């Protein structure tokens, strides 16, 4: 077996949620975070309210009951990885030895994982623990990032958590993969109506700036149709017209093997063309391609 350290490309490609003996907390080098992102997997049970056709998570054992997190372990693992990052010891790990110098910075703690993080009954507990640990270690510059499909942002515990995050460099990265209900259902496979996602993004974004994350892929050799692209751009425009503070749109495509073999990446030129459509309607909106 090859024991050599990863190349710079594989440093960015590796987003494993397993690290050493840890159960919940894992480090990755993230292009979108532009540095080291410390992820908290709130859904090791893999139970998700979306069934995205591009997702790489194996949900063959999804029939199990939701599992609560061991918060003592979550906190301990956060302390370990954040301390390794602070000391610089993390860069001696073979997994990160070839990390480019510009990315050798602790960027954020990300609430993410193998499903929708806000669905975890421990979501509010994890947010509180992250705030306490980063305060204890004197890391005011480290962001708290919620990576979400925006289906549960209306839950009281989630609303309270977002307010707490606002005071500690909090950010929401909300998923928006479509412009119409039909395409939304084709890509994300969920019982949640598209309308709820849009309403939740609008309400959350009326209180603080947020980012939109959009996975753009080919399905059975066909990229997002032009009419769907136009509807998607219209949704962004509508949200902003209603007061949603979208500070950035992150357009990205398939980077790891997806759940369905007929899902493939689009070209960079396709993403650039979609970015141009957004800028034709909202010229000052930041759009990044990944």
């Amino acid at each position: 077996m090859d024991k050599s350290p990863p190349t710079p490309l594989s440093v960015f490609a590796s987003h494993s949620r397993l690290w050493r003996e840890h159960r919940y907390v894992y480090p990755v080098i993230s292009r979108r975070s532009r540095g080291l992102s410390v992820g908290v997997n709130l859904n090791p049970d893999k139970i998700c309210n979306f069934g995205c056709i591009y997702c790489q998570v194996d949900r063959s054992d999804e029939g199990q009951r939701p599992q609560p997190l061991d918060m003592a372990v979550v906190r301990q693992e956060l302390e370990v990885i954040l301390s390794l990052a602070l000391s610089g010891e993390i860069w001696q790990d073979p997994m990160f030895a070839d990390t480019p110098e510009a990315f050798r910075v602790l960027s954020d703690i990300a609430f993410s994982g193998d499903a929708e993080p806000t669905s975890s009954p421990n979501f509010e507990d994890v947010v509180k623990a992250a705030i306490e640990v980063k305060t204890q270690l004197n890391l005011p510059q480290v962001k708290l990032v919620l990576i979400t499909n925006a289906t549960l942002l209306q839950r009281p515990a989630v609303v309270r958590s977002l307010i707490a995050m606002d005071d500690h460099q909090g950010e929401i990265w909300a998923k928006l993969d479509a412009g119409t209900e039909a395409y939304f259902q084709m890509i994300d496979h969920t019982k949640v109506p598209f309308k709820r996602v849009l309403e939740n993004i609008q309400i959350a974004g009326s209180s603080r700036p947020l980012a939109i994350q959009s996975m753009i892929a080919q399905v059975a050799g066909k990229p997002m149709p032009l009419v769907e692209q136009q509807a998607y751009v219209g949704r962004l425009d509508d949200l902003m017209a209603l007061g949603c503070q979208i500070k950035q749109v992150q357009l990205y495509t398939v980077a790891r093997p997806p759940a369905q073999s007929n899902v493939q990446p689009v070209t960079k030129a396709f993403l650039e063309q979609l970015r141009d459509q957004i800028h034709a309607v909202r010229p000052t909106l930041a759009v990044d391609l990944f």
Side-chain angles (χ1 to χ4, degrees):
M1 181 180 295
D2 185 6
K3 298 286 187 178
S4 60
T7 64
L9 179 60
S10 65
V11 164
F12 294 115
S14 175
H15 277 216
S16 172
R17 297 184 182 99
L18 299 176
W19 187 73
R20 296 184 178 178
E21 72 286 355
H22 281 205
R23 290 166 58 186
Y24 306 113
V25 184
Y26 58 96
V28 297
I29 302 301
S30 169
R31 288 180 299 164
R32 277 171 274 178
S33 293
R34 293 178 172 83
L36 181 70
S37 178
V38 178
V40 184
N41 184 2
L42 283 87
N43 309 94
D45 53 34
K46 302 180 182 179
I47 300 173
C48 192
N49 61 358
F50 270 28
C52 302
I53 60 176
Y54 56 76
C55 184
Q56 75 277 12
V57 176
D58 178 8
R59 303 191 192 279
S60 57
D61 58 350
E62 193 178 355
Q64 63 180 305
R65 295 173 63 85
Q67 300 296 313
L69 308 186
D70 186 329
M71 288 307 303
V73 175
V74 171
R75 186 183 182 101
Q76 178 189 35
E77 292 180 357
L78 273 171
E79 291 173 348
V80 167
I81 295 183
L82 290 173
S83 296
L84 287 174
L86 270 176
S87 69
E89 188 178 345
I90 191 85
W91 310 118
Q92 298 172 25
D93 187 300
M95 184 175 176
F96 302 112
D98 286 349
T99 301
E101 193 63 35
F103 283 79
R104 294 191 174 212
V105 57
L106 176 57
S107 296
D108 61 55
I109 300 169
F111 309 120
S112 57
D114 289 325
E116 171 51 36
T118 59
S119 68
S120 169
N122 294 113
F123 177 69
E124 188 171 19
D125 299 327
V126 171
V127 171
K128 288 179 179 177
I131 290 172
E132 290 170 359
V133 172
K134 88 182 197 90
T135 300
Q136 168 192 319
L137 296 176
N138 192 27
L139 296 170
Q141 79 285 1
V142 173
K143 298 177 181 179
L144 298 177
V145 177
L146 169 61
I147 302 175
T148 178
N149 62 23
T151 57
L152 302 172
L153 295 182
Q154 79 282 3
R155 284 186 170 180
V158 177
V159 172
R160 291 193 300 269
S161 299
L162 295 180
I163 292 172
M165 287 172 56
D166 289 340
D167 295 328
H168 295 275
Q169 293 277 74
E171 290 188 0
I172 300 172
W173 293 2
K175 174 192 293 290
L176 186 66
D177 293 335
T180 65
E181 176 75 33
Y183 200 78
F184 167 70
Q185 293 297 339
M186 185 185 82
I187 298 296
D188 295 330
H189 281 282
T190 177
K191 295 179 181 178
V192 181
F194 190 37
K195 180 181 178 182
R196 183 191 300 174
V197 170
L198 293 169
E199 289 175 346
N200 283 350
I201 291 174
Q202 191 274 316
I203 292 171
S206 67
S207 298
R208 80 277 293 163
L210 53 71
I212 296 293
Q213 283 194 318
S214 300
M215 166 63 81
I216 310 297
Q218 294 189 71
V219 183
K222 298 179 180 179
M224 178 187 278
L226 179 58
V227 65
E228 188 66 29
Q229 296 173 47
Q230 293 169 340
Y232 166 80
V233 174
R235 296 296 189 183
L236 293 175
D237 187 41
D238 291 344
L239 284 166
M240 297 183 74
L242 290 170
C244 184
Q245 304 170 64
I246 300 176
K247 67 174 185 178
Q248 178 194 37
V249 175
Q250 301 174 357
L251 298 179
Y252 63 111
T253 192
V254 178
R256 297 181 291 281
Q260 297 189 20
S261 59
N262 67 338
V263 179
Q264 300 163 332
V266 296
T267 64
K268 183 180 179 182
F270 188 90
L271 293 180
E272 290 173 341
Q273 179 263 340
L274 184 54
R275 177 186 61 192
D276 291 345
Q277 288 192 61
I278 295 171
H279 281 159
V281 176
R282 290 282 177 173
T284 61
L285 179 56
V287 180
D288 292 326
L289 310 182
F290 297 95

